[in-house]
Amino acid sequence: MEENRTLVQRTADRIVDYIVEKGLTEGDRLPSESELMKDLEVSRTTTREAVRMLSSRNILKVRHGSGIYVSKNTGISEDPLGLFFIRDKERLAEDLMEFRLLVEPRIAARAAQRANAEQAKELEELADEVERLYRSGQPHNKADNAFHAKLGELSGNLVFPHLIPIISKAIDTFIALTGNELVEETMESHRAIVEAVKAGDGVGAEDAMTLHLVYNRNRIREKRKGQKPVDK
Amino acid sequence: MEENRTLVQRTADRIVDYIVEKGLTEGDRLPSESELMKDLEVSRTTTREAVRMLSSRNILKVRHGSGIYVSKNTGISEDPLGLFFIRDKERLAEDLMEFRLLVEPRIAARAAQRANAEQAKELEELADEVERLYRSGQPHNKADNAFHAKLGELSGNLVFPHLIPIISKAIDTFIALTGNELVEETMESHRAIVEAVKAGDGVGAEDAMTLHLVYNRNRIREKRKGQKPVDK
C-alpha cells in the first residue's frame, strides 16, 4: 500500500504542477480522466485516487458527466486552520475575534483606498442583502460572509482574499453563539463601512470595521461572563 | 462512483466526529482499520479511502506496521491558504509580509505578557539555534519557523498557533527570495524579541517584532524595485 500511496501522491503533485504551469484558475477545466491517465502514464485507479485526493484538498472539483475542474478557493479547505478540532467554542469565538481585529480593519482600509464606484456599489448591494435577510428573519450567514469576502477581494493584497474561509468560519462561530441579537448594530456598522469605501476614506473604513468587531467581541465577552474571567 | 464517494465522505465525517468527541489530539492513536470498519459498518475499501482522505487533509497519519494516529497540526494542510497557486512569488512575498505585520507583533506582545521564565528560556534557545545554523552556513528555515511558532504557542490565543503554517510558508517564501542576506539583522531582532519576552515587556516585544518584519519587507521591496512601482 505504501508504494501505491506514494505513486498517488506523486501523481497528485504532477496534476498540481500542471495547474500552476498552465495558470489554470477556479472553474477551468482539466483534461479528462482518460487523458490524464495517458499523459501521466499511470493506471485509471491511480489517476482517480489522485483526483480524489486533490478533491478532498479542495484543489479539484469533479462534476459527473461533465469533467474535472479547478475548485473555487483553490487549495483552501472549508476549515483551513482546523478550528473544528478546538473544543472550547466560546473561547474560540473570542480568540477568532482578536484575529479578525488584527486583519479586517486593514482590509477595509485598503478596499476603501482602491475601490472604484462600481465596486463600492457591489459592496453596498451585499450590505443591502444582509439587511433584507435580517429584516425577513432569514439566515444571513452567507450574505454576511459575502460582504466581508468582497472587502478582501477589493483589498488588492494577494493573501487577504485567501483569509476569507477563516473569516467566514469566524462569522459562523459568532452567529451560532449570539444568534440574531446584533441585528441593528451589524447593519449600521456595515453601512458605515460602505459609506467610507464609497468616499475612498481608508481611515474611516478602518475605524468603522474596528468598531464593528469590537462591538461583536464585547457581545461574546458578555456571553462568557460568569464562566471565567474575561481578561486572560 | 458518486454514491461511493458520498459514503467515503460520510465515513470520513464520522471519524472526525469520533476524534472531536473523544478529545483526541496530535499523536493519539485511533482504532485499527479493522476495528474502524466494524464500528462504522462499512467495507475495508471505504474505511481505507476515508482514512486516505483524512490523511490528505492532514487529520490522520498512517504509520505502517504501527497504526492510525491524529496528525500534528490536525486539519491544517502544509499550505492552508493555497498560496502555492499564486504565481507572482515576489508580490506574494511582500503581501505575506503585510499579513505578518498585522498579526505577529500582537502575537509577540501576548507571548511577552504570558511567558514564564522557563518558556522564555525555550524561546531563547530557539533563537540561539537559528544563530548557530546561520553562522555555520546551514539552512535555517526550520529553526526560524520554530522560533516564530513558539511565540504563537506562548500567545495564549487558541487561533494564533494555527496560523503558524501560514507564517512558515511566508518565511520560506521570504528566504527563497532573499537568501542569506539578512543574517545579522535577523539575529539582532530575534534577540530583541527574546529580551522583551524575558522581561515580560509586551510593548517592547511588539515593537521588536514590527521592526524585524518592516526591515524584511523593505528588503523584498528593494528586490522588486525596477520591476513595477512599489506602492500599489
Side-chain angles (χ1 to χ4, degrees), chain A:
Chain A
M1 185 173 163
E2 182 60 18
E3 267 176 34
N4 182 36
R5 180 78 183 73
T6 305
L7 180 60
V8 169
Q9 181 60 63
R10 282 202 309 266
T11 305
D13 289 347
R14 286 172 63 201
I15 296 173
V16 167
D17 289 341
Y18 175 89
I19 293 170
V20 176
E21 273 164 32
K22 298 273 176 188
L24 303 183
T25 57
E26 57 180 63
D28 287 343
R29 191 171 165 173
L30 270 81
S32 69
E33 189 178 279
S34 303
E35 286 164 325
L36 282 175
M37 195 186 136
K38 248 186 283 173
D39 290 351
L40 303 171
E41 296 178 325
V42 290
S43 71
R44 184 171 297 274
T45 309
T46 301
T47 308
R48 192 169 287 179
E49 281 187 21
V51 169
R52 273 189 194 173
M53 178 182 285
L54 294 174
S55 300
S56 73
R57 286 168 55 197
N58 198 42
I59 290 169
L60 296 179
K61 171 96 186 148
V62 179
R63 294 200 205 117
H64 292 280
S66 166
I68 305 168
Y69 296 83
V70 178
S71 292
K72 194 162 178 283
N73 297 327
T74 321
I76 316 179
S77 82
E78 254 182 79
D79 180 20
L81 300 187
L83 302 178
F84 188 77
F85 295 94
I86 296 178
R87 299 181 87 190
D88 184 344
K89 295 301 176 197
E90 300 200 342
R91 205 179 133 200
L92 174 61
E94 184 171 338
D95 287 356
L96 273 169
M97 209 51 97
E98 183 177 11
F99 172 71
R100 292 181 66 189
L101 266 162
L102 297 177
V103 297
E104 286 198 77
R106 174 72 163 230
I107 291 173
R110 278 207 171 261
Q113 280 185 351
R114 293 182 74 259
N116 59 33
E118 198 189 327
Q119 292 166 326
K121 184 80 193 125
E122 286 167 19
L123 186 71
E124 186 167 35
E125 280 161 13
L126 291 169
D128 289 346
E129 176 67 4
V130 174
E131 190 155 342
R132 196 185 62 73
L133 292 168
Y134 267 139
R135 299 267 182 236
S136 63
Q138 292 174 72
H140 58 276
N141 300 40
K142 254 186 128 167
D144 207 330
N145 286 340
F147 177 81
H148 289 271
K150 174 59 84 179
L151 289 166
E153 222 182 83
L154 296 177
S155 72
N157 178 305
L158 290 176
V159 177
F160 293 163
H162 291 243
L163 299 174
I164 294 307
I166 304 171
I167 292 169
S168 298
K169 203 85 195 160
I171 293 173
D172 292 346
T173 307
F174 174 74
I175 292 177
L177 201 66
T178 61
N180 255 340
E181 287 168 36
L182 286 171
V183 179
E184 293 303 328
E185 188 286 331
T186 293
M187 289 184 305
E188 259 173 51
S189 49
H190 278 185
R191 270 197 296 269
I193 294 164
V194 168
E195 289 312 313
V197 170
K198 282 167 95 172
D201 174 6
V203 171
E206 184 168 329
D207 288 353
M209 180 63 86
T210 301
L211 183 66
H212 179 52
L213 297 173
V214 168
Y215 189 92
N216 289 351
R217 189 201 58 193
N218 289 350
R219 291 290 302 135
I220 297 172
R221 288 192 170 178
E222 279 168 37
K223 283 262 164 201
R224 296 185 66 204
K225 234 182 237 168
Q227 297 172 45
K228 55 177 117 167
V230 159
D231 288 309
K232 286 161 290 183

Side-chain angles (χ1 to χ4, degrees), chain B residues 114-162:
Chain B
R114 294 181 75 259
N116 60 31
E118 199 189 325
Q119 292 166 326
K121 184 80 195 129
E122 285 166 21
L123 186 72
E124 185 166 36
E125 280 162 13
L126 291 169
D128 289 346
E129 176 67 4
V130 174
E131 189 157 343
R132 196 185 61 72
L133 291 168
Y134 267 140
R135 299 266 182 237
S136 62
Q138 292 174 73
H140 58 277
N141 300 39
K142 255 186 127 166
D144 207 329
N145 286 341
F147 177 81
H148 289 270
K150 176 58 84 180
L151 289 166
E153 223 182 83
L154 296 177
S155 71
N157 178 304
L158 289 176
V159 177
F160 294 163
H162 290 242

